[in-house]
Amino acid sequence: MQDLLEVAAEPHRRRLLQLLGSGEQTVSQLATHFTVSRSAISQHLLLLCEVGLLQARKQGRSRFYALNPAGVTQLKAQLDSFWNSELDLLVAEARQLNPGALPHAAPPDNGASS
């Protein structure tokens, strides 16, 4: 199975996800926003469906695509996890290189005031 981050990172697929954020659309509707062929857009949509980021339904001769909430939630969780762990590593490395350059994180504010 393809990696969600890798699939979503490709510029055309990222734009398709953005466009579908406003609601369900057909391949023809989506293709009007791109300079690549309708067939190329269909291939991108198929891959996004395969990894679970989109869902498709057929109505007559048209196929409608929409965001798959479960897939988008999974992508968000992967992004959150990636950034949290990668940024923690980056900060740790920066502190090793120059211990006084970065302030240590302040304790979380629990809403109590003095």
Side-chain angles (χ1 to χ4, degrees):
M1 182 166 178
Q2 294 257 357
D3 177 75
L4 280 179
L5 291 175
E6 183 180 341
V7 170
E10 196 280 330
H12 290 99
R13 293 189 288 264
R14 197 171 60 238
R15 179 71 177 131
L16 286 166
L17 292 170
Q18 290 172 332
L19 290 168
L20 290 166
S22 64
E24 186 178 69
Q25 295 185 52
T26 64
V27 177
S28 297
Q29 291 170 316
L30 292 165
T32 63
H33 298 276
F34 298 90
T35 57
V36 297
S37 70
R38 184 180 178 278
S39 177
I41 296 303
S42 292
Q43 292 299 314
H44 287 299
L45 291 167
L46 180 63
L47 185 56
L48 288 165
C49 285
E50 286 176 3
V51 298
L53 290 170
L54 297 183
Q55 50 198 12
R57 71 173 178 87
K58 191 166 175 127
Q59 181 177 332
R61 296 180 65 190
S62 297
R63 185 172 297 274
F64 291 84
Y65 291 89
L67 295 177
N68 178 354
V72 173
T73 298
Q74 186 178 1
L75 177 61
K76 182 183 181 314
Q78 282 190 10
L79 285 168
D80 289 346
S81 173
F82 171 80
W83 284 115
N84 289 340
S85 60
E86 291 300 315
L87 288 176
D88 288 346
L89 287 172
L90 184 61
V91 168
E93 288 177 13
R95 282 199 178 109
Q96 285 179 346
L97 292 173
N98 192 350
L102 294 174
H104 287 280
D109 181 14
N110 62 5
S113 55
S114 350

